[in-house]
Structure formats: structure tokens, C-alpha cells
Amino acid sequence: MRSMSTTRAGQAVSATLRRAGLDDAGAVADVLIRSRHASVGSIPGAVHSDDEVREWIKDVVIPEREVWLAESDGGQVLATLVLDGGWIDQLYVDPIWTGVGLGSRLVELAKSCRPAGLQLWTFVTNTGARRFYERHGFVVAEMTDGSGNEEKEPDIRFVWANPELPPSAA
């Protein structure tokens, strides 16, 4: 477990990063759903119902992928990271906790878990995410017309290569 402190409206908030278990599936789904709903406009609307997302998290994501949480001292899940091989598959911060460094801490955790490099997709319209990943050293590797994603919206594949590794090792 890695502990961190951050602030929200002048209050100190202590959060711990830890691996998620099956008991966390509901909280992970809640963060993802709230974040997606709050982001409509900068990202396309969801193509799956909230119930479908909850089932996917419980039946696929938690059992088959590496899921991390940023959790408050009181046990509230504030943010979640899903790693799938060398991919950041999902990274969501609860909308009321954005801007306090939780996403940055989870990206740094992802880099430490995958020092050979990472990839991820984000929508072209998600300018906030694009800036966020660029600040964390990710670069554009590919842009698509969206024909390969469920939303059929243009997207960008970002990659991060560890600058401490020689190019042949990454």
C-alpha cells in the first residue's frame, strides 16, 4: 500500500493506493459511471447502460485485469486505475476529487508497474485527458477516425516509453 495526502477545499485528505478485489467491484463501477456521466460533452455518451458497466466490472475487469484504487481513510474509493498488460485500460477519478493529484499518483503507479512502457486510448475530444497524459510524458502514436471503437468517435493512442531504459529495452 502506498499512502498519499492531498487537499480538497482546504481539507487534508489521506488516500491509500491498493489493489482492488471482487468486493470493490461496485465502488469501482460507481467511480467509472460517475466520471463518464460528468464528462459527457468532452467524451461521447456511454454506449452501455450503468447495469451493463457494473456487470462488466464485476465479471471481467476485477477478475481478469490489474485494478488499483485510491481510497480515503474512511474507505471511499476516490479514483481507479485498470492495467491490462502494457495498457492503461481505464483511469477515472471521481468528479468531486479531480484536480487534487489522484490521477497523477495512479499514472506514476502504472509507470512503476510497467517500467518498459505503457499505451492508452483517449478520445480526440477529451482535451483535458490529452493535456494530462502529455504532462506525464505520453506522446501521440496514432490517431484514428473512431471506426475501431464502440463509440465510433475519433481517438488517439498515446504511448509512454521509460526514458531511463535504452530504446531496445522498451
Side-chain angles (χ1 to χ4, degrees):
M1 283 195 240
R2 296 178 185 187
S3 192
M4 64 180 163
S5 293
T6 190
T7 60
R8 167 53 74 208
Q11 288 185 311
V13 175
S14 179
T16 301
L17 300 184
R18 69 167 177 86
R19 286 288 297 268
L22 195 52
D23 290 348
D24 298 307
V28 168
D30 288 345
V31 168
L32 190 148
I33 291 165
R34 280 194 299 272
S35 296
R36 291 264 338 192
H37 287 302
S39 298
V40 170
S42 63
I43 65 171
V47 296
H48 297 283
S49 71
D50 292 355
D51 287 340
E52 289 171 323
V53 169
R54 289 178 197 292
E55 286 297 311
W56 175 67
I57 295 291
K58 180 176 69 74
D59 295 340
V60 176
V61 174
I62 299 285
E64 298 178 10
R65 299 184 183 145
E66 185 176 337
V67 182
W68 290 87
L69 308 174
E71 182 178 61
S72 73
D73 287 343
Q76 178 186 5
V77 175
L78 309 175
T80 188
L81 164 74
V82 178
L83 296 173
D84 188 7
W87 291 82
I88 293 179
D89 187 49
Q90 310 287 324
L91 175 61
Y92 287 98
V93 177
D94 193 298
I96 64 169
W97 293 103
T98 60
V100 297
L102 296 171
S104 293
R105 289 297 306 253
L106 287 168
V107 166
E108 293 307 312
L109 173 67
K111 288 177 178 181
S112 72
C113 290
R114 304 295 189 275
L118 288 163
Q119 301 183 69
L120 63 92
W121 289 100
T122 193
F123 294 107
V124 168
T125 56
N126 194 347
T127 56
R130 291 169 60 180
R131 284 191 307 267
F132 173 82
Y133 290 117
E134 288 168 349
R135 278 194 315 270
H136 288 282
F138 287 78
V139 296
V140 174
E142 174 184 9
M143 296 182 79
T144 79
D145 63 2
S147 60
N149 64 50
E150 291 181 306
E151 295 83 357
K152 304 299 180 211
E153 293 290 331
D155 55 4
I156 301 171
R157 182 171 59 92
F158 278 96
V159 297
W160 170 78
N162 189 336
E164 296 177 16
L165 293 179
S168 62

PDB file of all heavy atoms in Angstrom, residues 3-35:
ATOM      1  N   SER A   3       0.599   5.299   0.677  1.00  0.00           N
ATOM      2  CA  SER A   3      -0.266   6.317   1.233  1.00  0.00           C
ATOM      3  C   SER A   3       0.086   7.662   0.622  1.00  0.00           C
ATOM      4  O   SER A   3       1.231   7.907   0.263  1.00  0.00           O
ATOM      5  CB  SER A   3      -0.101   6.369   2.748  1.00  0.00           C
ATOM      6  OG  SER A   3      -1.119   7.141   3.313  1.00  0.00           O
ATOM      7  N   MET A   4      -0.887   8.512   0.488  1.00  0.00           N
ATOM      8  CA  MET A   4      -0.646   9.854  -0.032  1.00  0.00           C
ATOM      9  C   MET A   4      -1.611  10.805   0.645  1.00  0.00           C
ATOM     10  O   MET A   4      -2.659  10.402   1.113  1.00  0.00           O
ATOM     11  CB  MET A   4      -0.832   9.893  -1.546  1.00  0.00           C
ATOM     12  CG  MET A   4      -2.224   9.588  -2.022  1.00  0.00           C
ATOM     13  SD  MET A   4      -2.313   9.653  -3.799  1.00  0.00           S
ATOM     14  CE  MET A   4      -3.838   8.781  -4.044  1.00  0.00           C
ATOM     15  N   SER A   5      -1.233  12.060   0.669  1.00  0.00           N
ATOM     16  CA  SER A   5      -2.116  13.098   1.187  1.00  0.00           C
ATOM     17  C   SER A   5      -2.345  14.117   0.106  1.00  0.00           C
ATOM     18  O   SER A   5      -1.477  14.412  -0.698  1.00  0.00           O
ATOM     19  CB  SER A   5      -1.500  13.782   2.405  1.00  0.00           C
ATOM     20  OG  SER A   5      -1.432  12.883   3.479  1.00  0.00           O
ATOM     21  N   THR A   6      -3.534  14.650   0.071  1.00  0.00           N
ATOM     22  CA  THR A   6      -3.882  15.684  -0.881  1.00  0.00           C
ATOM     23  C   THR A   6      -4.896  16.597  -0.206  1.00  0.00           C
ATOM     24  O   THR A   6      -5.279  16.354   0.928  1.00  0.00           O
ATOM     25  CB  THR A   6      -4.427  15.048  -2.186  1.00  0.00           C
ATOM     26  OG1 THR A   6      -4.555  16.043  -3.174  1.00  0.00           O
ATOM     27  CG2 THR A   6      -5.749  14.348  -1.973  1.00  0.00           C
ATOM     28  N   THR A   7      -5.311  17.644  -0.853  1.00  0.00           N
ATOM     29  CA  THR A   7      -6.275  18.548  -0.232  1.00  0.00           C
ATOM     30  C   THR A   7      -7.479  18.749  -1.130  1.00  0.00           C
ATOM     31  O   THR A   7      -7.410  18.625  -2.337  1.00  0.00           O
ATOM     32  CB  THR A   7      -5.660  19.934   0.053  1.00  0.00           C
ATOM     33  OG1 THR A   7      -5.226  20.492  -1.184  1.00  0.00           O
ATOM     34  CG2 THR A   7      -4.497  19.829   1.009  1.00  0.00           C
ATOM     35  N   ARG A   8      -8.590  19.054  -0.544  1.00  0.00           N
ATOM     36  CA  ARG A   8      -9.808  19.413  -1.258  1.00  0.00           C
ATOM     37  C   ARG A   8     -10.431  20.532  -0.459  1.00  0.00           C
ATOM     38  O   ARG A   8     -10.770  20.344   0.710  1.00  0.00           O
ATOM     39  CB  ARG A   8     -10.740  18.203  -1.366  1.00  0.00           C
ATOM     40  CG  ARG A   8     -12.143  18.501  -1.809  1.00  0.00           C
ATOM     41  CD  ARG A   8     -12.314  19.292  -3.082  1.00  0.00           C
ATOM     42  NE  ARG A   8     -12.045  18.534  -4.265  1.00  0.00           N
ATOM     43  CZ  ARG A   8     -11.608  19.077  -5.394  1.00  0.00           C
ATOM     44  NH1 ARG A   8     -11.371  20.345  -5.476  1.00  0.00           N
ATOM     45  NH2 ARG A   8     -11.393  18.364  -6.442  1.00  0.00           N
ATOM     46  N   ALA A   9     -10.539  21.683  -1.077  1.00  0.00           N
ATOM     47  CA  ALA A   9     -11.144  22.852  -0.438  1.00  0.00           C
ATOM     48  C   ALA A   9     -10.534  23.124   0.938  1.00  0.00           C
ATOM     49  O   ALA A   9     -11.226  23.364   1.902  1.00  0.00           O
ATOM     50  CB  ALA A   9     -12.659  22.688  -0.338  1.00  0.00           C
ATOM     51  N   GLY A  10      -9.192  23.051   0.998  1.00  0.00           N
ATOM     52  CA  GLY A  10      -8.504  23.364   2.232  1.00  0.00           C
ATOM     53  C   GLY A  10      -8.423  22.225   3.223  1.00  0.00           C
ATOM     54  O   GLY A  10      -7.796  22.360   4.256  1.00  0.00           O
ATOM     55  N   GLN A  11      -9.090  21.101   2.940  1.00  0.00           N
ATOM     56  CA  GLN A  11      -9.045  19.967   3.847  1.00  0.00           C
ATOM     57  C   GLN A  11      -7.972  18.987   3.401  1.00  0.00           C
ATOM     58  O   GLN A  11      -7.844  18.703   2.219  1.00  0.00           O
ATOM     59  CB  GLN A  11     -10.373  19.213   3.847  1.00  0.00           C
ATOM     60  CG  GLN A  11     -11.500  19.929   4.539  1.00  0.00           C
ATOM     61  CD  GLN A  11     -12.710  19.025   4.584  1.00  0.00           C
ATOM     62  OE1 GLN A  11     -13.109  18.449   3.584  1.00  0.00           O
ATOM     63  NE2 GLN A  11     -13.294  18.900   5.760  1.00  0.00           N
ATOM     64  N   ALA A  12      -7.246  18.466   4.361  1.00  0.00           N
ATOM     65  CA  ALA A  12      -6.276  17.422   4.044  1.00  0.00           C
ATOM     66  C   ALA A  12      -7.033  16.117   3.859  1.00  0.00           C
ATOM     67  O   ALA A  12      -7.927  15.793   4.634  1.00  0.00           O
ATOM     68  CB  ALA A  12      -5.242  17.298   5.149  1.00  0.00           C
ATOM     69  N   VAL A  13      -6.689  15.393   2.816  1.00  0.00           N
ATOM     70  CA  VAL A  13      -7.306  14.103   2.541  1.00  0.00           C
ATOM     71  C   VAL A  13      -6.181  13.092   2.414  1.00  0.00           C
ATOM     72  O   VAL A  13      -5.250  13.292   1.650  1.00  0.00           O
ATOM     73  CB  VAL A  13      -8.117  14.146   1.230  1.00  0.00           C
ATOM     74  CG1 VAL A  13      -8.651  12.769   0.893  1.00  0.00           C
ATOM     75  CG2 VAL A  13      -9.238  15.150   1.335  1.00  0.00           C
ATOM     76  N   SER A  14      -6.282  12.054   3.166  1.00  0.00           N
ATOM     77  CA  SER A  14      -5.288  10.998   3.078  1.00  0.00           C
ATOM     78  C   SER A  14      -5.887   9.887   2.229  1.00  0.00           C
ATOM     79  O   SER A  14      -7.028   9.496   2.432  1.00  0.00           O
ATOM     80  CB  SER A  14      -4.956  10.496   4.481  1.00  0.00           C
ATOM     81  OG  SER A  14      -4.010   9.465   4.395  1.00  0.00           O
ATOM     82  N   ALA A  15      -5.132   9.413   1.247  1.00  0.00           N
ATOM     83  CA  ALA A  15      -5.610   8.338   0.384  1.00  0.00           C
ATOM     84  C   ALA A  15      -4.522   7.285   0.252  1.00  0.00           C
ATOM     85  O   ALA A  15      -3.343   7.600   0.245  1.00  0.00           O
ATOM     86  CB  ALA A  15      -5.991   8.885  -0.985  1.00  0.00           C
ATOM     87  N   THR A  16      -4.953   6.064   0.152  1.00  0.00           N
ATOM     88  CA  THR A  16      -4.050   4.932   0.008  1.00  0.00           C
ATOM     89  C   THR A  16      -4.285   4.301  -1.349  1.00  0.00           C
ATOM     90  O   THR A  16      -5.427   4.153  -1.787  1.00  0.00           O
ATOM     91  CB  THR A  16      -4.330   3.896   1.118  1.00  0.00           C
ATOM     92  OG1 THR A  16      -4.149   4.522   2.381  1.00  0.00           O
ATOM     93  CG2 THR A  16      -3.416   2.696   0.994  1.00  0.00           C
ATOM     94  N   LEU A  17      -3.195   3.921  -2.011  1.00  0.00           N
ATOM     95  CA  LEU A  17      -3.303   3.163  -3.250  1.00  0.00           C
ATOM     96  C   LEU A  17      -3.211   1.693  -2.889  1.00  0.00           C
ATOM     97  O   LEU A  17      -2.308   1.281  -2.164  1.00  0.00           O
ATOM     98  CB  LEU A  17      -2.174   3.530  -4.210  1.00  0.00           C
ATOM     99  CG  LEU A  17      -2.073   4.983  -4.650  1.00  0.00           C
ATOM    100  CD1 LEU A  17      -0.959   5.135  -5.683  1.00  0.00           C
ATOM    101  CD2 LEU A  17      -3.387   5.506  -5.197  1.00  0.00           C
ATOM    102  N   ARG A  18      -4.171   0.917  -3.393  1.00  0.00           N
ATOM    103  CA  ARG A  18      -4.162  -0.515  -3.127  1.00  0.00           C
ATOM    104  C   ARG A  18      -4.830  -1.260  -4.270  1.00  0.00           C
ATOM    105  O   ARG A  18      -5.600  -0.682  -5.040  1.00  0.00           O
ATOM    106  CB  ARG A  18      -4.846  -0.843  -1.810  1.00  0.00           C
ATOM    107  CG  ARG A  18      -6.357  -0.611  -1.822  1.00  0.00           C
ATOM    108  CD  ARG A  18      -7.015  -1.249  -0.605  1.00  0.00           C
ATOM    109  NE  ARG A  18      -8.444  -0.992  -0.557  1.00  0.00           N
ATOM    110  CZ  ARG A  18      -9.367  -1.732  -1.168  1.00  0.00           C
ATOM    111  NH1 ARG A  18      -9.021  -2.776  -1.901  1.00  0.00           N
ATOM    112  NH2 ARG A  18     -10.658  -1.433  -1.052  1.00  0.00           N
ATOM    113  N   ARG A  19      -4.516  -2.557  -4.365  1.00  0.00           N
ATOM    114  CA  ARG A  19      -5.148  -3.412  -5.361  1.00  0.00           C
ATOM    115  C   ARG A  19      -6.611  -3.613  -4.998  1.00  0.00           C
ATOM    116  O   ARG A  19      -6.962  -3.751  -3.830  1.00  0.00           O
ATOM    117  CB  ARG A  19      -4.474  -4.782  -5.420  1.00  0.00           C
ATOM    118  CG  ARG A  19      -3.121  -4.828  -6.088  1.00  0.00           C
ATOM    119  CD  ARG A  19      -3.144  -4.663  -7.598  1.00  0.00           C
ATOM    120  NE  ARG A  19      -3.841  -5.698  -8.322  1.00  0.00           N
ATOM    121  CZ  ARG A  19      -3.293  -6.793  -8.824  1.00  0.00           C
ATOM    122  NH1 ARG A  19      -2.009  -7.017  -8.663  1.00  0.00           N
ATOM    123  NH2 ARG A  19      -4.026  -7.662  -9.481  1.00  0.00           N
ATOM    124  N   ALA A  20      -7.446  -3.641  -6.009  1.00  0.00           N
ATOM    125  CA  ALA A  20      -8.869  -3.886  -5.804  1.00  0.00           C
ATOM    126  C   ALA A  20      -9.133  -5.381  -5.783  1.00  0.00           C
ATOM    127  O   ALA A  20      -8.453  -6.160  -6.447  1.00  0.00           O
ATOM    128  CB  ALA A  20      -9.675  -3.238  -6.922  1.00  0.00           C
ATOM    129  N   GLY A  21     -10.147  -5.763  -5.034  1.00  0.00           N
ATOM    130  CA  GLY A  21     -10.629  -7.134  -5.003  1.00  0.00           C
ATOM    131  C   GLY A  21     -12.070  -7.173  -5.474  1.00  0.00           C
ATOM    132  O   GLY A  21     -12.677  -6.131  -5.756  1.00  0.00           O
ATOM    133  N   LEU A  22     -12.632  -8.352  -5.555  1.00  0.00           N
ATOM    134  CA  LEU A  22     -14.004  -8.512  -6.034  1.00  0.00           C
ATOM    135  C   LEU A  22     -14.991  -7.706  -5.197  1.00  0.00           C
ATOM    136  O   LEU A  22     -15.977  -7.183  -5.733  1.00  0.00           O
ATOM    137  CB  LEU A  22     -14.389  -9.992  -6.062  1.00  0.00           C
ATOM    138  CG  LEU A  22     -15.634 -10.337  -6.864  1.00  0.00           C
ATOM    139  CD1 LEU A  22     -15.574  -9.775  -8.281  1.00  0.00           C
ATOM    140  CD2 LEU A  22     -15.838 -11.838  -6.911  1.00  0.00           C
ATOM    141  N   ASP A  23     -14.724  -7.560  -3.899  1.00  0.00           N
ATOM    142  CA  ASP A  23     -15.612  -6.768  -3.037  1.00  0.00           C
ATOM    143  C   ASP A  23     -15.640  -5.294  -3.427  1.00  0.00           C
ATOM    144  O   ASP A  23     -16.539  -4.561  -3.011  1.00  0.00           O
ATOM    145  CB  ASP A  23     -15.186  -6.886  -1.576  1.00  0.00           C
ATOM    146  CG  ASP A  23     -15.438  -8.263  -0.987  1.00  0.00           C
ATOM    147  OD1 ASP A  23     -16.152  -9.066  -1.621  1.00  0.00           O
ATOM    148  OD2 ASP A  23     -14.901  -8.541   0.101  1.00  0.00           O
ATOM    149  N   ASP A  24     -14.666  -4.851  -4.198  1.00  0.00           N
ATOM    150  CA  ASP A  24     -14.583  -3.447  -4.611  1.00  0.00           C
ATOM    151  C   ASP A  24     -15.294  -3.176  -5.939  1.00  0.00           C
ATOM    152  O   ASP A  24     -15.333  -2.030  -6.391  1.00  0.00           O
ATOM    153  CB  ASP A  24     -13.109  -3.033  -4.759  1.00  0.00           C
ATOM    154  CG  ASP A  24     -12.349  -3.130  -3.461  1.00  0.00           C
ATOM    155  OD1 ASP A  24     -12.811  -2.555  -2.456  1.00  0.00           O
ATOM    156  OD2 ASP A  24     -11.286  -3.781  -3.456  1.00  0.00           O
ATOM    157  N   ALA A  25     -15.826  -4.205  -6.573  1.00  0.00           N
ATOM    158  CA  ALA A  25     -16.399  -4.047  -7.914  1.00  0.00           C
ATOM    159  C   ALA A  25     -17.455  -2.947  -7.974  1.00  0.00           C
ATOM    160  O   ALA A  25     -17.461  -2.134  -8.898  1.00  0.00           O
ATOM    161  CB  ALA A  25     -16.978  -5.370  -8.413  1.00  0.00           C
ATOM    162  N   GLY A  26     -18.337  -2.881  -7.002  1.00  0.00           N
ATOM    163  CA  GLY A  26     -19.383  -1.857  -7.005  1.00  0.00           C
ATOM    164  C   GLY A  26     -18.817  -0.451  -6.923  1.00  0.00           C
ATOM    165  O   GLY A  26     -19.249   0.451  -7.651  1.00  0.00           O
ATOM    166  N   ALA A  27     -17.831  -0.252  -6.063  1.00  0.00           N
ATOM    167  CA  ALA A  27     -17.227   1.076  -5.904  1.00  0.00           C
ATOM    168  C   ALA A  27     -16.439   1.464  -7.148  1.00  0.00           C
ATOM    169  O   ALA A  27     -16.469   2.629  -7.569  1.00  0.00           O
ATOM    170  CB  ALA A  27     -16.326   1.099  -4.673  1.00  0.00           C
ATOM    171  N   VAL A  28     -15.741   0.511  -7.761  1.00  0.00           N
ATOM    172  CA  VAL A  28     -15.010   0.792  -8.999  1.00  0.00           C
ATOM    173  C   VAL A  28     -16.000   1.210 -10.089  1.00  0.00           C
ATOM    174  O   VAL A  28     -15.791   2.208 -10.789  1.00  0.00           O
ATOM    175  CB  VAL A  28     -14.184  -0.441  -9.447  1.00  0.00           C
ATOM    176  CG1 VAL A  28     -13.653  -0.271 -10.860  1.00  0.00           C
ATOM    177  CG2 VAL A  28     -13.041  -0.688  -8.464  1.00  0.00           C
ATOM    178  N   ALA A  29     -17.084   0.459 -10.216  1.00  0.00           N
ATOM    179  CA  ALA A  29     -18.103   0.795 -11.223  1.00  0.00           C
ATOM    180  C   ALA A  29     -18.707   2.166 -10.947  1.00  0.00           C
ATOM    181  O   ALA A  29     -18.921   2.950 -11.877  1.00  0.00           O
ATOM    182  CB  ALA A  29     -19.186  -0.280 -11.249  1.00  0.00           C
ATOM    183  N   ASP A  30     -18.975   2.481  -9.691  1.00  0.00           N
ATOM    184  CA  ASP A  30     -19.557   3.785  -9.350  1.00  0.00           C
ATOM    185  C   ASP A  30     -18.653   4.933  -9.794  1.00  0.00           C
ATOM    186  O   ASP A  30     -19.134   5.923 -10.355  1.00  0.00           O
ATOM    187  CB  ASP A  30     -19.793   3.895  -7.842  1.00  0.00           C
ATOM    188  CG  ASP A  30     -20.960   3.037  -7.364  1.00  0.00           C
ATOM    189  OD1 ASP A  30     -21.770   2.577  -8.196  1.00  0.00           O
ATOM    190  OD2 ASP A  30     -21.046   2.825  -6.133  1.00  0.00           O
ATOM    191  N   VAL A  31     -17.354   4.812  -9.545  1.00  0.00           N
ATOM    192  CA  VAL A  31     -16.419   5.872  -9.948  1.00  0.00           C
ATOM    193  C   VAL A  31     -16.416   6.011 -11.464  1.00  0.00           C
ATOM    194  O   VAL A  31     -16.499   7.115 -12.002  1.00  0.00           O
ATOM    195  CB  VAL A  31     -14.998   5.602  -9.410  1.00  0.00           C
ATOM    196  CG1 VAL A  31     -13.972   6.525 -10.058  1.00  0.00           C
ATOM    197  CG2 VAL A  31     -14.970   5.773  -7.898  1.00  0.00           C
ATOM    198  N   LEU A  32     -16.334   4.900 -12.171  1.00  0.00           N
ATOM    199  CA  LEU A  32     -16.329   4.939 -13.629  1.00  0.00           C
ATOM    200  C   LEU A  32     -17.617   5.572 -14.158  1.00  0.00           C
ATOM    201  O   LEU A  32     -17.571   6.463 -15.017  1.00  0.00           O
ATOM    202  CB  LEU A  32     -16.157   3.520 -14.173  1.00  0.00           C
ATOM    203  CG  LEU A  32     -15.907   3.390 -15.659  1.00  0.00           C
ATOM    204  CD1 LEU A  32     -15.028   2.180 -15.932  1.00  0.00           C
ATOM    205  CD2 LEU A  32     -17.195   3.268 -16.423  1.00  0.00           C
ATOM    206  N   ILE A  33     -18.755   5.142 -13.649  1.00  0.00           N
ATOM    207  CA  ILE A  33     -20.047   5.649 -14.119  1.00  0.00           C
ATOM    208  C   ILE A  33     -20.193   7.139 -13.829  1.00  0.00           C
ATOM    209  O   ILE A  33     -20.572   7.920 -14.705  1.00  0.00           O
ATOM    210  CB  ILE A  33     -21.202   4.831 -13.497  1.00  0.00           C
ATOM    211  CG1 ILE A  33     -21.201   3.414 -14.085  1.00  0.00           C
ATOM    212  CG2 ILE A  33     -22.540   5.527 -13.701  1.00  0.00           C
ATOM    213  CD1 ILE A  33     -22.048   2.416 -13.305  1.00  0.00           C
ATOM    214  N   ARG A  34     -19.879   7.567 -12.604  1.00  0.00           N
ATOM    215  CA  ARG A  34     -19.988   8.999 -12.272  1.00  0.00           C
ATOM    216  C   ARG A  34     -19.061   9.836 -13.142  1.00  0.00           C
ATOM    217  O   ARG A  34     -19.438  10.917 -13.618  1.00  0.00           O
ATOM    218  CB  ARG A  34     -19.674   9.229 -10.790  1.00  0.00           C
ATOM    219  CG  ARG A  34     -20.825   8.923  -9.864  1.00  0.00           C
ATOM    220  CD  ARG A  34     -20.607   9.471  -8.459  1.00  0.00           C
ATOM    221  NE  ARG A  34     -19.439   8.925  -7.793  1.00  0.00           N
ATOM    222  CZ  ARG A  34     -19.425   7.812  -7.072  1.00  0.00           C
ATOM    223  NH1 ARG A  34     -20.527   7.109  -6.922  1.00  0.00           N
ATOM    224  NH2 ARG A  34     -18.318   7.401  -6.481  1.00  0.00           N
ATOM    225  N   SER A  35     -17.859   9.340 -13.358  1.00  0.00           N
ATOM    226  CA  SER A  35     -16.891  10.083 -14.171  1.00  0.00           C
ATOM    227  C   SER A  35     -17.351  10.191 -15.613  1.00  0.00           C
ATOM    228  O   SER A  35     -17.250  11.256 -16.220  1.00  0.00           O
ATOM    229  CB  SER A  35     -15.528   9.399 -14.113  1.00  0.00           C
ATOM    230  OG  SER A  35     -15.034   9.427 -12.803  1.00  0.00           O
TER     231      SER A  35
END
